[in-house]
Amino acid sequence: MEEARLDNELERIHKQMSFLWTTYDCHLKFFTRAYGMYDRGFIIGLENKVCKFVFERETNSPRETIGHYVGKKDAPFVPPQHNYWDDYGWYSLPSLIYWLSGVEYEYEKDVDKDLENLSQYLKRHIDKVLELFQHPAEFDSKLEYYRNLYKDKQITVDQIRAERARLKALGQDWSLETAIASLRGDRK
């Protein structure tokens, strides 16, 4: 059973984020199933011509969600002390998208639900993510630009929940996208 664990985790990620393979030409570049303090975790690394993605979990607990990171092309798949920090070219994918979009990501305690949410979140902003990594020399200045772009206009999870409830009560479309558009003042 333990032998198939890495296959199962890769299948879980592929199911929720197949667009990384089909549309954005990612391929499996690195993996290990002996990761973390007790070697019960895993790392799955994907790569395309612009950047890298890492999915990692330190234990085999179903309550622990999978960590998701995006990194520069020269970022090591296993950085020193296993720390996926910007010092090593890695960024938390939800945090990076928050800076790019101004919309806070809601983590779920269920692995599959969390990956499903991340997938929807990433699909909406993947072109910005890839554009950010496209020219490494401009990365820091572009990231700073995006960090300041929504500085006073960030949309929180609580605001989204309240807006979705309001739209639903009015009998209107209460999808995530519609709620965000409404909070930003966009008219459809």
Side-chain angles (χ1 to χ4, degrees), residues 120-162:
Q120 292 175 19
Y121 196 56
L122 180 56
K123 275 182 193 176
R124 295 185 68 214
H125 304 289
I126 191 154
D127 291 327
K128 281 184 181 179
V129 170
L130 295 176
E131 187 267 330
L132 183 64
F133 285 91
Q134 185 73 40
H135 303 285
E138 300 169 11
F139 181 87
D140 291 328
S141 63
K142 284 182 181 178
L143 184 57
E144 188 63 29
Y145 165 77
Y146 282 119
R147 280 182 175 160
N148 291 323
L149 185 62
Y150 297 107
K151 199 173 204 164
D152 298 323
K153 299 179 272 186
Q154 286 118 347
I155 297 173
T156 67
V157 170
D158 290 336
Q159 289 173 311
I160 293 170
R161 281 186 192 141

Side-chain angles (χ1 to χ4, degrees), residues 70-153:
V70 61
K72 297 177 180 179
K73 281 295 283 182
D74 61 351
F77 277 111
V78 182
Q81 292 91 32
H82 303 285
N83 294 317
Y84 290 95
W85 295 335
D86 58 351
D87 292 349
Y88 306 118
W90 289 102
Y91 300 84
S92 161
L93 193 49
S95 295
L96 187 68
I97 295 173
Y98 182 46
W99 295 330
L100 295 174
S101 68
V103 179
E104 187 178 17
Y105 173 75
E106 181 174 15
Y107 290 90
E108 296 280 344
K109 294 204 185 255
D110 175 87
V111 174
D112 293 313
K113 185 67 176 162
D114 192 58
L115 280 175
E116 182 183 336
N117 286 352
L118 179 68
S119 175
Q120 292 175 19
Y121 196 56
L122 180 56
K123 275 182 193 176
R124 295 185 68 214
H125 304 289
I126 191 154
D127 291 327
K128 281 184 181 179
V129 170
L130 295 176
E131 187 267 330
L132 183 64
F133 285 91
Q134 185 73 40
H135 303 285
E138 300 169 11
F139 181 87
D140 291 328
S141 63
K142 284 182 181 178
L143 184 57
E144 188 63 29
Y145 165 77
Y146 282 119
R147 280 182 175 160
N148 291 323
L149 185 62
Y150 297 107
K151 199 173 204 164
D152 298 323
K153 299 179 272 186

